[in-house]
Amino acid sequence: MRVAMWGWVLVMVVSSPARAQQQQAAANGNDQTLKRLSIEDLSSIDVTSTLKHAEPISGSAAAIEVITGDDIRRAGITTLPEALRLATGVQVARFDGRTWAITARGFNISTANKLVVMIDGRSVYTPLFSGVFWDVQDLILEDVDRIEVIRGPGATLWGANAVNGVINIVTKHASQTEGTLVQIGGGTDLGQTGVRYGRRLGSDGGIRVYGKYRYRGSQVFETGESAQDPLRSGQAGFRLDHGASGRTLMTLQGDIYKGAIGIFDRPDSDVAGGNLLGRVAHTFPSGSQLQFQAYYDGTYRRVPRQFAEHRDTMDLDLQYRTRAGSRHDLVTGIGYQLTHGHAAPSPVLFFSPETRTSPLWNLFAQDEITIAPNRVAVIVGSKFEHNDYTGFEFQPTVRARWTPGGRDTLWGAVSRAVRMPTRFDSDLRFTGPAPFVVLRGDPGFLSETVLSREIGYRRRFGAAASIDLVAFYNTYDDLRTQEPTLPLGIPIVLSNLMQARTSGLEMSAEYEPAATVRLHFGYTYLSEDFQLEPGSRDQTGGTSEYNDPAHQVWARSNVNLPHDVEADAVFRFVGELPHPLVPGYAELTLRLGWRRGNTELSIVGDNLLHDHHPEFGNLTPREEYPRSVFGQVTWRF
Amino acid sequence: MLGTAVFIAILAAGPIDLHAQRSLEYEVKAAFLYNFVQFVEWPPEALRAGEPFRLCLAGENPFAGVLERTVAGEQAAGRPIAVEVLGATAAPSLCQVLFVPRSQSSRTAALLRAAGDAAVLTVGESPRFLDAGGLINFVVEGGHVRFDINADAATARDLRISSKLLRVARTTGSSDRREDR
């Protein structure tokens, strides 16, 4: 009973209730390194805005992988969370029709909370529980330029909650989306249509506007019955860019959306939101760069009889990058965020206080020090953050990179990061059907911390192949537990009485045996050891905080056939999840595409190896995902 | 709020210099030029015995030494690479690569005419460089250096461009058309 309760509480907020109740460094003046890069890598270097996004992947001292817009298109993917399935080391599991459990390096739960996720510099994880409501993160996927996935702590640059990784979704510059795009797709599970219009402004600027509507049909329970949870949502937005190659770059972009998700025993759950972001980056004659970014993000979410929250967030960020002498490449920044959340009380839970406004300050500095030009560099830095719950937090990192000859990179890092408390940890009061609180947050809840040690090696074999190996060992402290209050055991109070050690291996490889064939392979191994601290009486043993596979495998191939035909395959294997038990599974997606002139046709078969199978879930009955077929036509003119 | 104040203070203090110093852009372009040389095959008759591989810059050198450092000690077509700045009257048809800097774009037509049908890989960085008959043109798009290739014109000059280079190119048609990729 207690094992399940916290899981239920999490589900209460993120999901439908029915079932819950049933149950650039190298890029910096380094010509010798640059010329060893592949032409793809050269194309990926951002030559204008080199603040946080500077380095080509092959030379960076972190576990990073980039999913390109073309990778997404050729995998036949229709949603952002599915696109993350392409990244080695990212755990992606569908929980129910609207909820995704997504993490890296362990700690997966329906409200996974140890990743920073951003779309064009705007944080999309909610300060409510520091996880992502994936059901409202959508884009016209053709407009995605790339998704940068960094495994491991990135807190020095990216800030609190970048405990296990950073996902940075970057859309195309508006000058790259000229013309009209019309996309219509439909299949056994999904229907969607998108329209985008773009035009150039001046010599290197541009604007685009888009609208998208999607419908995803009901999922099925393992019993075969319909879960009656269709998702309908509409979204529109724009992006305006000025000065692609000039010295001052300006971006203004925004989106609005509204959607409804079905629940079988009550009215639909409503979601709505909007955001507006502006960014100016200036390069001085000295080469130093200054960037200022400001955004507003508003979200609304209601699950009838259960949970409703209104949230407004304003965020300001200033960064400055400069070179000092020939050895120092310094990035510093200051940021301020104000988030205001109002959660209306419901029959099963409330937040105390009902409304909370939380300021968050941060200051960071990072210096990349060249020890031996083109060969050895050391990166040291720290973020100092002040939050409303625990006050000051420091999140330092030390990294070193050795690049003998340019084709090999050996790197290592030691970093500390924290997940700061959220309203979930501090303010939540859960009553369930009882007239009293049975589970509550604690205003004294501490930040969860990680100390991470990583080592990695990357090698390129000519122009056609590369490998990437990473090993890590993490120690976590002050992890969330559920402590019963004696003598009755009620209420259960959230506390920080768990530690963990995790270690893992991550490998990936790319190989292009011919210009028309591209192969990608990935494998990760994860070992976890969780220990309750003395004094903890947590009846769950901490198992509500993680449910991870030990082994995962990725493989995909993209083949260009004659007559403009594309044949693509994506295979994945996800090992068994222990608690609750979800059997390991292998799945296959196949895509056949045809492009000619301004028309592209594609047909995708998904989940081809099973009639239906589960991916996650502490729900009873749990949802499963059937084999599906999807066809899409895209016109560009 | 403080962020805004600091931003304004620093911006106001920074000198406004309109002469762009796009050092990183040219470092990347230099690396691309080096790569182009590796992915293109010249006909044997285009290379004279005993002469270096000539990488020519029309009129001026915008690379500020980076290109020279990039190709130093490297070979192309089995010979050392020499970076030369071509004066107004020198013949580009003796070069294996001719880069036309943006500042020289008004001379594009004359330079390409002078190169004629010789096996010269002409590389530019201005709009309509391919329309004028150039073979590869750099564009900075969304902050990234990309390039278009005029594959047919290259074939007409007996230059064999590897399919890998063609695949990374933004477009491979005969003009600077744009297309979503």
Side-chain angles (χ1 to χ4, degrees):
Chain A
M1 172 61 197
R2 288 205 180 113
V3 175
M5 183 178 294
W6 178 230
W8 283 5
V9 173
L10 300 182
V11 169
M12 281 286 171
V13 181
V14 300
S15 179
S16 48
R19 281 150 294 137
Q21 283 168 354
Q22 285 168 12
Q23 69 135 323
Q24 210 136 355
N28 248 336
N30 192 335
D31 30 81
Q32 296 308 310
T33 303
L34 279 178
K35 76 178 182 189
R36 299 290 173 216
L37 295 178
S38 71
I39 41 184
E40 288 93 340
D41 275 350
L42 283 171
S43 305
S44 76
I45 294 173
D46 192 330
V47 295
T48 49
S49 145
T50 50
L51 291 179
K52 284 176 180 171
H53 312 265
E55 310 167 70
I57 314 159
S58 53
S60 65
I64 180 169
E65 184 165 314
V66 173
I67 306 298
T68 66
D70 205 50
D71 291 336
I72 295 170
R73 183 179 70 81
R74 299 206 53 170
I77 278 164
T78 51
T79 64
L80 280 177
E82 283 174 294
L84 299 177
R85 286 203 207 269
L86 300 179
T88 304
V90 178
Q91 299 166 233
V92 179
R94 267 197 282 195
F95 181 83
D96 65 19
R98 71 192 302 181
T99 310
W100 295 75
I102 298 180
T103 189
R105 297 186 175 175
F107 291 84
N108 215 13
I109 52 176
S110 62
T111 48
N113 56 26
K114 291 179 178 60
L115 288 186
V116 161
V117 181
M118 281 172 301
I119 298 179
D120 287 335
R122 174 175 56 90
S123 169
V124 298
Y125 69 85
T126 172
L128 178 68
F129 67 98
S130 71
V132 179
F133 286 121
W134 286 103
D135 53 357
V136 296
Q137 312 305 333
D138 196 19
L139 291 166
I140 289 193
L141 292 182
E142 302 282 327
D143 291 347
V144 173
D145 183 69
R146 64 189 187 276
I147 301 178
E148 300 167 348
V149 177
I150 301 162
R151 304 182 301 270
T156 298
L157 288 181
W158 307 100
N161 306 333
V163 169
N164 279 5
V166 178
I167 290 173
N168 196 14
I169 299 163
V170 182
T171 68
K172 289 176 180 165
H173 191 272
S175 68
Q176 290 174 266
T177 50
E178 194 179 1
T180 303
L181 176 138
V182 177
Q183 196 163 53
I184 297 173
T188 52
D189 185 45
L190 184 79
Q192 66 174 23
T193 177
V195 179
R196 177 247 287 151
Y197 171 74
R199 57 168 295 175
R200 298 183 72 79
L201 295 176
S203 61
D204 47 15
I207 183 169
R208 68 166 172 263
V209 292
Y210 75 92
K212 179 174 181 178
Y213 178 81
R214 67 181 164 136
Y215 173 83
R216 205 220 58 245
S218 293
Q219 307 298 300
V220 294
F221 292 128
E222 57 190 333
T223 57
E225 288 170 88
S226 168
Q228 299 181 39
D229 61 345
L231 178 149
R232 285 162 285 138
S233 78
Q235 180 166 330
F238 76 100
R239 174 167 172 162
L240 174 70
D241 284 294
H242 176 72
S245 55
R247 312 198 39 225
T248 301
L249 306 168
M250 284 184 276
T251 301
L252 185 69
Q253 62 187 110
D255 311 273
I256 51 170
Y257 62 85
K258 187 165 171 34
I261 298 106
I263 305 168
F264 83 89
D265 66 344
R266 63 190 69 184
D268 287 352
S269 166
D270 303 314
V271 291
N275 61 76
L276 186 68
L277 178 143
R279 183 168 46 237
V280 182
H282 184 77
T283 305
F284 295 99
S286 62
S288 300
Q289 290 170 311
L290 185 69
Q291 175 176 299
F292 175 68
Q293 174 183 287
Y295 69 79
Y296 162 79
D297 193 6
T299 61
Y300 172 71
R301 166 173 303 260
R302 182 176 68 103
V303 181
R305 291 182 233 160
Q306 185 171 297
F307 169 73
E309 196 213 27
H310 235 120
R311 180 169 290 278
D312 298 290
T313 301
M314 182 195 70
D315 189 285
L316 301 172
D317 183 68
L318 181 80
Q319 288 176 42
Y320 182 65
R321 176 176 192 156
T322 188
R323 267 181 254 175
S326 60
R327 293 191 176 275
H328 296 272
D329 183 357
L330 192 69
V331 190
T332 59
I334 182 167
Y336 177 67
Q337 185 185 81
L338 195 63
T339 183
H340 170 88
H342 170 80
S346 85
V348 293
L349 61 83
F350 62 98
F351 285 83
S352 172
E354 202 173 302
T355 298
R356 182 161 184 155
T357 304
S358 304
L360 178 66
W361 279 97
N362 81 73
L363 187 70
F364 79 89
Q366 176 172 294
D367 189 12
E368 177 163 339
I369 306 156
T370 303
I371 306 292
N374 304 332
R375 285 187 175 271
V376 183
V378 173
I379 300 155
V380 293
S382 185
K383 175 154 265 180
F384 302 91
E385 212 158 22
H386 186 272
N387 71 70
D388 198 26
Y389 298 91
T390 59
F392 272 104
E393 299 285 357
F394 76 104
Q395 304 183 82
T397 189
V398 180
R399 291 173 188 272
R401 182 181 63 225
W402 182 45
T403 46
R407 289 185 196 275
D408 305 80
T409 302
L410 184 65
W411 63 271
V414 178
S415 323
R416 179 181 190 271
V418 309
R419 181 185 75 83
M420 40 179 221
T422 63
R423 296 206 74 192
F424 253 44
D425 308 300
S426 165
D427 302 343
L428 180 70
R429 305 289 182 269
F430 177 73
T431 58
F436 47 85
V437 171
V438 296
L439 186 147
R440 53 170 290 167
D442 179 4
F445 194 87
L446 306 172
S447 289
E448 298 181 329
T449 66
V450 65
L451 184 65
S452 171
R453 305 128 188 107
E454 302 169 271
I455 185 162
Y457 174 67
R458 231 176 257 122
R459 182 175 177 85
R460 176 180 303 287
F461 302 92
S466 62
I467 56 162
D468 192 332
L469 305 172
V470 181
F472 67 88
Y473 173 63
N474 290 352
T475 47
Y476 298 82
D477 204 353
D478 296 329
L479 295 170
R480 188 163 61 193
T481 54
Q482 304 162 46
E483 303 298 334
T485 305
L486 295 179
L488 298 175
I490 287 180
I492 294 169
V493 182
L494 298 182
S495 188
N496 301 88
L497 291 175
M498 184 161 61
Q499 298 178 334
R501 286 177 299 186
T502 65
S503 54
L505 278 176
E506 300 161 333
M507 33 219 279
S508 64
E510 293 242 4
Y511 179 47
E512 299 187 34
T516 52
V517 179
R518 182 173 197 148
L519 305 173
H520 181 96
F521 176 80
Y523 167 77
T524 61
Y525 170 73
L526 174 68
S527 163
E528 296 178 307
D529 177 21
F530 284 76
Q531 295 286 340
L532 293 177
E533 289 173 30
S536 171
R537 286 185 292 269
D538 189 332
Q539 302 295 301
T540 71
T543 54
S544 312
E545 299 296 324
Y546 65 101
N547 197 11
D548 305 305
H551 304 274
Q552 286 198 98
V553 176
W554 293 255
R556 63 177 196 264
S557 80
N558 302 127
V559 180
N560 294 338
L561 297 171
H563 308 293
D564 303 312
V565 173
E566 300 168 333
D568 306 300
V570 184
F571 170 88
R572 67 179 197 276
F573 169 79
V574 179
E576 175 185 290
L577 308 184
H579 46 72
L581 182 82
V582 179
Y585 69 91
E587 263 311 348
L588 180 68
T589 304
L590 294 178
R591 172 183 178 273
L592 207 55
W594 179 79
R595 301 182 89 173
R596 180 162 294 171
N598 55 16
T599 305
E600 179 184 333
L601 296 172
S602 65
I603 182 153
V604 179
D606 197 17
N607 286 334
L608 291 174
L609 302 185
H610 299 89
D611 288 338
H612 52 87
H613 70 90
E615 295 185 2
F616 209 74
N618 12 22
L619 298 172
T620 317
R622 76 183 158 210
E623 278 192 6
E624 304 206 334
Y625 303 96
R627 186 175 289 131
S628 66
V629 179
F630 178 77
Q632 182 159 273
V633 56
T634 306
W635 293 280
R636 298 175 176 83
F637 46 86
Chain B
M1 294 306 131
L2 179 57
T4 316
V6 171
F7 174 68
I8 291 168
I10 297 178
L11 254 198
I16 305 300
D17 179 354
L18 297 175
H19 298 284
Q21 182 185 325
R22 303 188 181 95
S23 63
L24 180 57
E25 179 184 333
Y26 279 96
E27 284 167 19
V28 171
K29 283 180 176 174
F32 265 120
L33 282 177
Y34 171 71
N35 262 286
F36 291 164
V37 168
Q38 311 302 320
F39 285 102
V40 175
E41 224 176 275
W42 275 260
E45 61 273 18
L47 300 155
R48 297 188 193 175
E51 294 202 3
F53 183 95
R54 288 205 172 85
L55 207 169
C56 303
L57 308 173
E60 63 149 30
N61 185 346
F63 292 95
V66 172
L67 184 60
E68 289 86 336
R69 285 200 301 275
T70 301
V71 302
E74 299 289 344
Q75 291 205 333
R79 49 194 80 201
I81 303 174
V83 175
E84 297 178 9
V85 177
L86 278 194
T89 55
S93 56
L94 296 176
C95 304
Q96 276 69 51
V97 177
L98 174 66
F99 179 76
V100 183
R102 199 173 296 149
S103 62
Q104 308 291 311
S105 60
S106 58
R107 295 173 55 216
T108 298
L111 286 162
L112 293 176
R113 216 170 20 247
D117 290 336
V120 181
L121 184 74
T122 49
V123 183
E125 50 173 353
S126 13
R128 284 178 289 285
F129 183 76
L130 299 194
D131 286 339
L135 301 189
I136 300 185
N137 193 33
F138 285 122
V139 281
V140 178
E141 191 179 70
H144 304 285
V145 177
R146 303 258 160 88
F147 56 91
D148 298 316
I149 298 182
N150 187 346
D152 295 341
T155 309
R157 285 168 180 76
D158 281 340
L159 292 171
R160 283 193 52 205
I161 298 184
S162 99
S163 56
K164 182 169 176 72
L165 198 58
L166 292 172
R167 194 162 50 72
V168 177
R170 204 177 57 145
T171 65
T172 55
S174 56
S175 65
D176 305 277
R177 76 190 150 88
R178 288 177 177 278
E179 180 185 311
D180 282 341
R181 287 165 50 90

